Amino acid sequence: MTVTAIVGASWGDEGKGKMTDALAADAAYVVRFQGGSNAGHTIINEYGKFALHMLPSGVFYPHVTNVIGPGAALDVDMLLKEYDNLAAAGVPAPRLRISDRAQIVLPVHRLLDELEEERLGADGFGSTKRGIAPFYADKYAKLGIQTADLLDGERLLHRLERSITAKNVLFNHLYHCAPIAAANLLPQWLELGQKLRPFLCDTGALLREARMRGDAILLEGQLGALRDPDHGIYPYSTSSSTLAGFAAVGAGIPPYAIERIIAVVKAYSSCVGAGPFPVELNGKEGDELRRRGGDSGEYGALTGRPRRVGWFDAPAIRYGCAIQGATEIALTNLDVLGYLERIPVCTGYELDGKLLDYFPATSRLDRVKPVIETLPGWCCDISSAASFEELPPAAQGYVNYIEKAAGVRIGSISVGPRREQLFATATDQPVRSASRRIP
Ligand code: GDP
């Protein structure tokens, strides 16, 4: 019986998609439990390179059932587009199940997101404009539309009218644009409902039964711990909980079912969008790290925006792992740092002349300065290493530093973007020799 959450320890883009794709080889279910199409998971495997925004990362395995749970924000256009793209790339049709309680992102949510970001101007949140904040606002204001509503025309019209009436006041008086008629949206959404119908079911029941059978379930997080609305860098957070604790809720399984929580940690830091990012590097150093990072530079999988980059941030990762309840770390992008003779790391923050070893609330985080130390670099290509002992001593030292700084065992190490560039460390010890390739 294994239920594993794969979640981000920092600002997102840690490499969760790659980890989920690799671990899905041994899984029966891969579940999206929060977020929508506002971030992308990059996956490189035998079919090519993909950036999945809405589909779970298990779609490349015919034996995996991919689930979109009720906690997610379902962007139907993106879902259908990605589904078709897979077919075009020769990927066998994935098994897909969508919760009949999952709610849909409406075009009106995207429009509101755009208009509001425009209105805020320089004070904006760096929204990806996929409608996520207005979607979750509607959900908690009880104005959302569940997928099951799409199968009942009368009910759907009533729900759309409820949702759109108040927004039209905003369109008219705040944003000064044309109002929307709920009835005009009806035919299109009824048609989309018919397209979704074959995939809809009570996914909570499906997963609870799977768990009772002992099937392996992966819960795939989107973004990272520091974007969580309760524990992260509010208000530069996202609108749904990015934490493993929420995975049980967003998927519909018991909280105690999650036995393994893998916090994905990058060997350096990156951040898309606005908000405090204490280790941010500007200038040449940052440009070089950005150019060398990830599979082809640190650029957003959804927007193509250059990601902000910086060195490894110990207080941020320690905090991120703690709020995720990480039982282990998957360390990614270690290969990227092979160009450095000395590798800077942020060991703490300085605030008003005092040293902080923790990650404070946003109002104080805004003012901290990173305390930087350096560790020896390994100055070579490690992208074909297949075990911990194949890493040069300086790379082993860097891994051991991160394990100690985070306070969580490193269970696997990724040394390149491809599926096979990943190996596990021993399961019961800190990182050491008994390694094996994953999967
Ligand atoms: P996710 O949202 O957490 O899945 O992360 P993204 O896919 O947005 O960003 C992670 C980036 O790192 C992508 O470009 C991946 O292809 C890349 N990547 C993942 N693991 C590694 C690794 O170990 N080394 C390198 N060089 N790139 C990696």
Side-chain angles (χ1 to χ4, degrees), residues 11 13 30 41 56 98 118 121 123 136 148-149 193 216 218 224 245 253 260 263 281 289 322 414 416 419:
W11 291 265
D13 307 320
V30 176
H41 292 174
I98 300 171
E118 207 171 286
D123 269 346
Y136 279 107
D149 295 335
L218 295 183
I253 54 169
R260 191 178 174 203
L281 286 174
L289 182 55
S414 169
R419 189 186 271 174

Side-chain angles (χ1 to χ4, degrees), residues 136-398:
Y136 279 107
D138 265 6
K139 178 172 190 167
Y140 293 109
K142 293 166 279 190
L143 294 172
I145 290 175
Q146 295 186 320
T147 50
D149 295 335
L150 301 177
L151 307 179
D152 175 343
E154 206 175 310
R155 183 180 170 84
L156 179 59
L157 181 60
H158 176 66
R159 296 295 303 160
L160 284 169
E161 277 167 350
R162 284 286 296 271
S163 175
I164 285 170
T165 307
K167 292 181 188 68
N168 276 339
V169 179
L170 288 179
F171 288 143
N172 193 3
H173 296 286
L174 181 65
Y175 301 117
H176 307 295
C177 64
I180 290 172
N184 291 348
L185 298 178
L186 193 64
Q188 180 205 357
W189 281 101
L190 285 173
E191 195 186 319
L192 287 173
Q194 291 311 314
K195 284 195 182 161
L196 291 183
R197 187 192 275 273
F199 304 115
L200 300 186
C201 71
D202 179 347
T203 55
L206 184 78
L207 293 171
R208 289 189 295 275
E209 279 161 26
R211 175 178 168 265
M212 294 312 286
R213 277 196 306 271
D215 292 351
I217 299 173
L218 295 183
L219 305 168
E220 178 182 21
Q222 185 225 32
L223 295 166
L226 307 180
R227 297 286 186 192
D228 183 74
D230 291 305
H231 299 274
I233 52 170
Y234 188 86
Y236 300 99
S237 38
T238 191
S239 304
S240 62
S241 176
T242 53
L243 301 184
F246 182 76
V249 178
I253 54 169
Y256 52 79
I258 307 176
E259 299 151 339
R260 191 178 174 203
I261 299 175
I262 302 178
V264 186
V265 171
K266 233 174 193 164
Y268 51 93
S269 301
S270 71
C271 167
V272 174
F277 183 43
V279 289
E280 181 160 19
L281 286 174
N282 293 306
K284 278 194 190 146
E285 258 186 320
D287 289 344
E288 174 145 42
L289 182 55
R290 183 178 303 107
R291 185 171 59 75
R292 290 175 179 270
D295 69 285
S296 50
E298 289 289 354
Y299 296 93
L302 174 66
T303 57
R305 290 187 289 190
R307 290 179 183 151
R308 301 157 75 194
V309 292
W311 306 122
F312 178 78
D313 184 334
I317 295 300
R318 191 160 48 241
Y319 178 71
C321 286
I323 59 177
Q324 288 292 11
T327 58
E328 68 188 90
I329 284 175
L331 181 65
T332 68
N333 283 273
L334 187 63
D335 53 300
V336 169
L337 300 178
Y339 68 103
L340 292 158
E341 274 177 28
R342 303 280 311 171
I343 306 179
V345 290
C346 165
T347 55
Y349 302 137
E350 198 221 290
L351 181 66
D352 301 331
K354 290 203 184 96
L355 192 65
L356 303 188
D357 63 355
Y358 61 90
F359 192 78
T362 313
S363 63
R364 297 174 76 214
L365 188 67
D366 264 334
R367 297 189 295 115
V368 302
K369 301 256 174 314
V371 176
I372 300 288
E373 290 176 19
T374 64
L375 299 174
W378 46 94
C379 297
C380 64
D381 179 6
I382 57 165
S383 60
S384 53
S387 68
F388 183 69
E389 70 257 302
E390 281 180 35
L391 293 175
Q396 293 185 354
Y398 190 76

